[in-house]
Amino acid sequence: VNKTAVLKSYIADMGKDKNLRPVLRVGGTSFGRFKLKNGKTALIVATKSKVVCFELKNGIVMLSPNDFERFVNALKGRSYLD
């Protein structure tokens, strides 16, 4: 994702934030596009509930790599996260 395309980025927990919970799969197989409770569409690539969210003009990308803390630190180092 190009940094200029990111409107907002943050860490969230899909298990705690009801608005970010997927309610309907709209594409994909094991990972894919989902309609969220808040009405937005998200590409979710995660096996855990804690994710990094990138809000874009046309939707949300939610990622949860295996080494979550290392990923977060790398994003902070590149100024993607505060």
Side-chain angles (χ1 to χ4, degrees), residues 14 18-44 60 62:
M14 293 186 293
K18 293 178 185 177
N19 287 321
L20 293 177
R21 288 187 185 156
V23 293
L24 177 68
R25 180 187 297 273
V26 293
T29 52
S30 59
F31 300 112
R33 292 203 171 275
F34 294 83
K35 182 71 97 175
L36 303 179
K37 187 160 177 85
N38 65 10
K40 295 181 180 181
T41 301
L43 171 64
I44 302 175
I60 301 172
M62 302 168 78

Side-chain angles (χ1 to χ4, degrees), residues 2-16:
N2 186 323
K3 192 173 178 179
T4 59
V6 178
L7 304 175
K8 183 178 176 183
S9 59
Y10 52 93
I11 296 170
D13 189 328
M14 293 186 293
K16 294 180 181 175

Side-chain angles (χ1 to χ4, degrees), residues 8-81:
K8 183 178 176 183
S9 59
Y10 52 93
I11 296 170
D13 189 328
M14 293 186 293
K16 294 180 181 175
D17 188 338
K18 293 178 185 177
N19 287 321
L20 293 177
R21 288 187 185 156
V23 293
L24 177 68
R25 180 187 297 273
V26 293
T29 52
S30 59
F31 300 112
R33 292 203 171 275
F34 294 83
K35 182 71 97 175
L36 303 179
K37 187 160 177 85
N38 65 10
K40 295 181 180 181
T41 301
L43 171 64
I44 302 175
V45 181
T47 56
K48 301 173 185 132
S49 65
K50 193 172 180 182
V51 293
V52 174
C53 298
F54 297 98
E55 289 194 15
L56 311 173
K57 184 177 178 181
N58 60 345
I60 301 172
V61 176
M62 302 168 78
L63 304 172
S64 180
N66 289 334
D67 194 343
F68 189 80
E69 293 305 318
R70 184 174 174 196
F71 181 64
V72 167
N73 288 334
L75 291 173
K76 287 180 180 178
R78 291 171 179 81
S79 300
Y80 271 91
L81 287 171

